[in-house]
Amino acid sequence: MPGKNPSEAIREYIQPLQQSLSCFTRSVLRPSGYEVDELLLATFSGSRGVRLRTRDSRELHLVFVQHFSVRSHFLSRYKVTTRAYYYTLENQYGHEIFAFHWHPESENDTVPFAHMHLGHGSADRLRDELYDIHFPTPRIAFEEVGIVLLDHFEVDPERKDAKDVLKANLEVFRKHKSW
Amino acid sequence: MTGTATREQTETDQIQEVTGVFTESEARQLFESTAQRYLHMSTDQFLRMWDAKKFDSPEQQHLASRVASLLPLIRHIRAGKKSL
């Protein structure tokens, strides 16, 4: 959604993400800046992301990073464009279970397509080749990862309406996405 | 001129308050702790190796990418270093 100024555009961009993330945490998603035409990011304050609890009391960590830019839009308004995402689930030891990435402009890691990684938090011993494989995926929304967390990892949500919130925001996202 | 500067400062403060923008110090701290956690190295060490493309193994490259995902946090610091 465009905004009257860069900060309003960023608020419009962050608000639905924050709502979806509120299904899992009370932590606040924060942007790195508000300058126009710069590569900015939104993430949480901790290097381990946010802590999740499963229904059987296992500890998991969700790392959320999105890159974005604020650009001038028509009629003197500003719009946020997403430029990369990194959604990672880690186990209690900080070992990656899976990661969904899309970073077509990354400096040294130029994989042009959206992809998924499996990490050594997903198995007792991971085959060596799996570290190097970028499993191609469609470009996804965070809400899709959130639904996986609820349905398959049995993460205990922060709010009772978590599934409904994620589904509703996914619907809005699909309606407004420009790709 | 003073009035303009004051108004700009006030607007900046409001933007930071409204959107919770990382301060430079918080941004540095988050980048440093992430580099230490994943690769056991400082921000400076990471940037030297990243710029020289010296993360060789797939596993190292993968961990480096995780740290590099936060590069926009320190773009001012990095831009300053590159221009020296």
Side-chain angles (χ1 to χ4, degrees):
Chain A
M1 297 284 283
K4 289 195 297 286
N5 51 52
S7 66
E8 188 177 285
I10 290 174
R11 275 200 306 273
E12 292 286 335
Y13 150 72
I14 284 192
Q15 194 273 333
L17 282 175
Q18 181 69 68
Q19 190 185 40
S20 293
L21 286 159
S22 75
C23 295
F24 303 102
T25 181
R26 293 181 184 179
S27 298
V28 176
L29 192 61
R30 302 174 67 188
S32 63
Y34 44 84
E35 299 89 342
V36 175
D37 291 333
E38 291 285 353
L39 183 63
L40 306 169
L41 67 69
T43 192
F44 293 110
S45 301
S47 65
R48 291 205 66 187
V50 294
R51 191 166 70 171
L52 311 176
R53 279 265 169 220
T54 64
R55 272 182 248 146
D56 59 355
S57 299
R58 282 174 298 134
E59 181 181 325
L60 298 171
H61 287 258
L62 172 68
V63 180
F64 177 101
V65 181
Q66 269 196 10
H67 293 184
F68 65 94
S69 289
V70 192
R71 292 175 170 142
S72 58
H73 199 49
F74 70 100
L75 297 176
S76 303
R77 294 179 80 83
Y78 293 87
K79 193 176 177 194
V80 168
T81 306
T82 310
R83 293 178 60 181
Y85 62 68
Y86 303 80
Y87 309 140
T88 305
L89 185 68
E90 296 180 350
N91 67 15
Q92 70 269 37
Y93 307 112
H95 301 154
E96 184 179 294
I97 297 169
F98 68 69
F100 285 92
H101 289 174
W102 173 68
H103 45 77
E105 304 164 276
S106 173
E107 294 170 34
N108 293 358
D109 188 8
T110 48
V111 180
F113 51 87
H115 55 273
M116 187 195 77
H117 295 276
L118 282 177
H120 67 290
S122 63
D124 290 337
R125 188 180 180 283
L126 207 61
R127 292 177 63 91
D128 288 344
E129 60 267 48
L130 286 175
Y131 288 109
D132 204 20
I133 298 179
H134 298 73
F135 294 100
T137 67
R139 199 171 144 187
I140 60 164
F142 167 73
E143 287 77 9
E144 292 170 280
V145 177
I147 290 168
V148 168
L149 295 179
L150 293 178
D151 286 353
H152 299 284
F153 286 86
E154 300 192 328
V155 169
D156 203 7
E158 272 291 327
R159 47 193 295 172
K160 286 180 182 164
D161 59 352
K163 193 79 163 279
D164 292 336
V165 167
L166 291 170
K167 282 182 173 174
N169 282 349
L170 181 58
E171 199 64 33
V172 172
F173 174 83
R174 284 178 173 157
K175 198 170 160 188
H176 291 287
K177 72 186 172 86
S178 56
W179 39 272
Chain B
M1 289 302 286
T2 308
T4 305
T6 305
R7 190 166 62 245
E8 283 170 358
Q9 183 62 49
T10 306
E11 284 169 1
T12 301
D13 290 346
Q14 283 170 350
I15 288 165
Q16 289 192 347
E17 191 183 335
V18 169
T19 61
V21 174
F22 280 95
T23 65
E24 189 173 319
S25 155
E26 289 170 332
R28 278 174 188 267
Q29 197 175 2
L30 177 55
F31 197 93
E32 175 77 19
S33 61
T34 305
Q36 291 286 357
R37 186 161 91 80
Y38 286 94
L39 294 162
H40 310 291
M41 60 178 63
S42 69
T43 298
D44 284 346
Q45 285 173 308
F46 172 80
L47 289 177
R48 274 199 298 276
M49 287 188 68
W50 179 255
D51 289 340
K53 300 186 178 177
K54 284 196 172 168
F55 292 105
D56 294 329
S57 71
E59 191 179 1
Q60 280 272 303
Q61 176 65 36
H62 187 61
L63 293 170
S65 291
R66 165 71 185 92
V67 179
S69 72
L70 299 181
L71 279 172
L73 277 175
I74 57 163
R75 67 202 157 82
H76 295 306
I77 304 161
R78 214 174 162 215
K81 278 189 177 164
K82 278 188 172 175
S83 66
L84 289 176

